[in-house]
Amino acid sequence: MLTTNSPLHPAWVALGAMTVIFHIGLIFYGLTPALVSRPIHMALILPWILIFAASTPLQRISGWVLTLLGVAACGYIAFNSTSLANQYGFIYGDTQMIIGVFLIFLALEMARRAIGWPLPCVALLALAYAVFGDHIPGQFGHPGLPMQSFVGTLTIAEGGLWGKLTGVSVGVVAVFVIFGAVLNAGEAGRGFMNMASAFAGRLTGGAAKVSVISSALMGSISGSASANVASTGAITIPTMRRLGYPKSLAGAVEAVASSGGQIMPPLMGAGAFVMVELTGTPYTQIMAAATLPALLYFFTVWMGINAYATRHDLRPIAASEQPTRKEVVVTSLFFAVPFAILLERIFVGGYTPQYAASIAVLAGVLLLLFDVTLTFSFRQFWVRLGEAVVTAGKQIAMIGAIIICASLVIGVLSLTGLGVKITSGILSLSGEMLWPALLLTALACLVLGMEVPTTAAYVICVSVAGPALSALGLEPLLAHLFVFWFALLSTITPPVCGGVFIAAGMVEENWLKVALKAMALGIGLYVIPLAMVANPDIIGLATAPLSAGLYTLKVAVGLSAISYGVIARRAFWLRTLLVIAGLLVIFWV
């Protein structure tokens, strides 16, 4: 019997359907004012974060109160959008000030309940700097901001809470989250696993390689390393353990493979769409630029598995456990058809990514009518559709809460000029040399990424470090890709490594052992961003495919040598020589 806390309670299915219809509808309504669509987006997010995810009676009661007040505050912004736009970010009267301060508090509380304290703490520090920064002496102080202007810019103008980042969450990210939720509600996940098993299951280390392929495919639509570990890992980790793989290796393979989903086109989680807005680069160009580096990453993991095969007996999956050819073909249709429609509409039809995704969502919904035996079932269709809209609602809310809170930080950086000052600091510390600046940026990404989600870490880091890297001659898109990759480091790098923690729990192994093997397998995550800077042609697949391919091949050779040098059971002098040779090939040849 369904309770009000059940994910498939009619109330949550109805809210999920409302969320899906609103966000897909925006694509077809025509131009909707930002001060209408973005507050409604936040209003739809509130129940999922504050009520659905509540775990105690107190959280539930406070969640209801905050949701009702929050919906009223968002409604005030949406209904008065025209007059508020004419105030140009300046608050008039106590009522508007109370609403503005409450909306800022609500954004912080949403993020806290969604992902914990770290990101709200960063935002609180930024807000405190905006309020008290005029008391800071020297170049890092600022002249001071009138409260009416400061709160107004963040809450009643197209900046702060309703800025460009929130626009990306509303207009682009949401529809791709819906697309992923629809695929996951059907048989696409099984299709990923079956195709991966058919392709790699009989190779040496086959179970690990199946994990790499399936996690790359699944991760490209889920956009979450942790969610990917939990979903594909539930199948791949027991398979690896059954074949005798060491616990630490089984966990490491899944953690590393799942982390790479966020850099794997065509979807790349939410980061690609944020990058579109921040760089002004078309989505198709970002997808093309990201393809070869992503393939290099998974190639490096693949070679690492081969290297571990020199130390352990990494048996393939038995033929009896392999899916039949018919199973592979039938289940692959559940993801191949929507993906084909998505890509055809973008590259051949010339439509926007969000419009193409909405058409692909329709195809995915129709496929929910069938199971793996292609049996037609209306009853199962409604269950799957309910699961899809609830999952979409939850995931849109999670990403939206992160982006709205991060928007506060970006708003403060813009209002106070702090971003420019930090950029100047990076240039000064690096002696205005590119490589020291890159290392400083990488360190900042690693530290920030340990505490906040990848997308938020990328947005904050690139806002302050991106201009410095561009000033030192790095192309803007390359700078953004560099920062985005290094924002992923924390998924496998101690002391805080979310993907490793989950995988270690699933294999019941010490997390540090899993992390050390994950860092060795995922060494491409540390090297490839630097290799992109040293060999910028790698991201030029759309403009110079031959040159991009040749440089990719060169880097692949170097990464293979490094991977074998770090992992393989060989004499120490030979392993050292391999690592040095690999670095020389990548950075100097």
Side-chain angles (χ1 to χ4, degrees), residues 138-295:
Q139 72 175 81
F140 280 95
H142 63 76
L145 298 168
M147 286 303 293
Q148 291 88 344
S149 178
F150 170 57
V151 175
T153 302
L154 293 181
T155 59
I156 67 168
E158 290 184 31
L161 296 179
W162 322 125
K164 290 182 178 180
L165 281 181
T166 304
V168 175
S169 179
V170 177
V172 186
V173 173
V175 70
F176 279 94
V177 168
I178 295 165
F179 177 56
V182 169
L183 290 188
N184 283 327
E187 304 292 348
R190 188 178 301 188
F192 289 145
M193 293 298 301
N194 284 346
M195 191 179 79
S197 295
F199 183 73
R202 297 180 188 179
L203 303 174
T204 300
K209 290 171 180 175
V210 167
S211 174
V212 172
I213 296 173
S214 60
S215 295
L217 294 170
M218 186 73 77
S220 72
I221 62 170
S222 74
S224 167
S226 299
N228 203 6
V229 171
S231 57
T232 59
I235 300 171
T236 60
I237 287 176
T239 301
M240 286 186 274
R241 291 293 299 127
R242 190 171 63 250
L243 291 171
Y245 289 48
K247 287 183 178 181
S248 57
L249 180 59
V253 167
E254 184 56 45
V256 170
S258 294
S259 297
Q262 291 183 81
I263 54 175
M264 186 68 188
L267 304 190
M268 297 170 62
F273 309 115
V274 175
M275 205 177 296
V276 169
E277 184 61 46
L278 295 181
T279 64
T281 305
Y283 170 70
T284 50
Q285 288 185 28
I286 288 177
M287 189 165 63
T291 295
L292 292 180
L295 292 176

Side-chain angles (χ1 to χ4, degrees), residues 435-457:
W435 286 95
L438 290 171
L439 295 177
L440 285 171
T441 303
L443 181 61
C445 290
L446 174 59
V447 172
L448 190 60
M450 288 178 183
E451 299 297 334
V452 302
T454 300
T455 302

Side-chain angles (χ1 to χ4, degrees), residues 284-585:
T284 50
Q285 288 185 28
I286 288 177
M287 189 165 63
T291 295
L292 292 180
L295 292 176
L296 275 174
Y297 174 79
F298 288 105
F299 169 80
T300 308
V301 179
W302 190 287
M303 297 307 293
I305 293 168
N306 287 340
Y308 269 117
T310 67
R311 307 176 66 170
H312 308 287
D313 179 21
L314 304 184
R315 285 176 285 161
I317 299 175
S320 60
E321 297 183 36
Q322 296 281 332
T324 64
R325 185 173 298 178
K326 181 181 177 181
E327 283 181 287
V328 174
V329 172
V330 171
T331 55
S332 294
L333 291 174
F334 287 93
F335 70 84
V337 170
F339 265 110
I341 291 172
L342 172 70
L343 298 177
E344 188 276 334
R345 291 290 79 192
I346 292 174
F347 290 106
V348 179
Y351 294 99
T352 63
Q354 51 267 47
Y355 178 83
S358 65
I359 303 300
V361 166
L362 176 61
V365 168
L366 293 176
L367 287 171
L368 295 179
L369 288 163
F370 303 92
D371 61 17
V372 289
T373 62
L374 295 183
T375 302
F376 182 92
S377 172
F378 258 124
R379 183 175 175 277
Q380 280 298 104
F381 168 77
W382 291 114
V383 172
R384 289 171 180 152
L385 189 60
E387 291 175 353
V389 296
V390 169
T391 300
K394 288 190 298 183
Q395 292 181 347
I396 288 170
M398 178 67 72
I399 295 172
I402 293 167
I403 286 180
I404 287 172
C405 189
S407 295
L408 287 175
V409 180
I410 304 307
V412 170
L413 291 175
S414 175
L415 280 169
T416 62
L418 180 60
V420 175
K421 294 166 187 174
I422 296 176
T423 296
S424 300
I426 292 172
L427 290 170
S428 178
L429 281 173
S430 64
E432 299 198 3
M433 292 186 291
L434 178 60
W435 286 95
L438 290 171
L439 295 177
L440 285 171
T441 303
L443 181 61
C445 290
L446 174 59
V447 172
L448 190 60
M450 288 178 183
E451 299 297 334
V452 302
T454 300
T455 302
Y458 154 65
V459 168
I460 295 169
C461 279
V462 85
S463 297
V464 295
L469 298 180
S470 296
L472 293 172
L474 208 60
E475 289 293 325
L477 178 56
L478 184 53
H480 279 254
L481 286 170
F482 177 87
V483 173
F484 185 62
W485 272 65
F486 271 113
L488 277 171
L489 284 184
S490 60
T491 59
I492 61 171
T493 308
V496 180
C497 36
V500 166
F501 288 154
I502 295 172
M506 294 176 75
V507 294
E508 299 178 347
E509 178 60 283
N510 180 289
W511 71 268
L512 190 55
K513 292 182 180 179
V514 177
L516 291 174
K517 281 192 168 63
M519 291 169 71
L521 272 173
I523 199 164
L525 199 56
Y526 303 85
V527 177
I528 292 171
L530 298 169
M532 286 192 283
V533 175
N535 305 274
D537 284 14
I538 288 176
I539 69 168
L541 181 62
T543 54
L546 180 59
S547 178
L550 290 174
Y551 275 96
T552 300
L553 182 61
K554 184 191 87 158
V555 173
V557 171
L559 286 169
S560 299
I562 293 171
S563 188
Y564 268 84
V566 170
I567 296 172
R569 178 170 287 170
R570 297 286 186 266
F572 180 75
W573 68 266
L574 180 57
R575 293 171 61 191
T576 303
L577 188 62
L578 282 170
V579 171
I580 293 171
L583 291 172
L584 287 172
V585 168

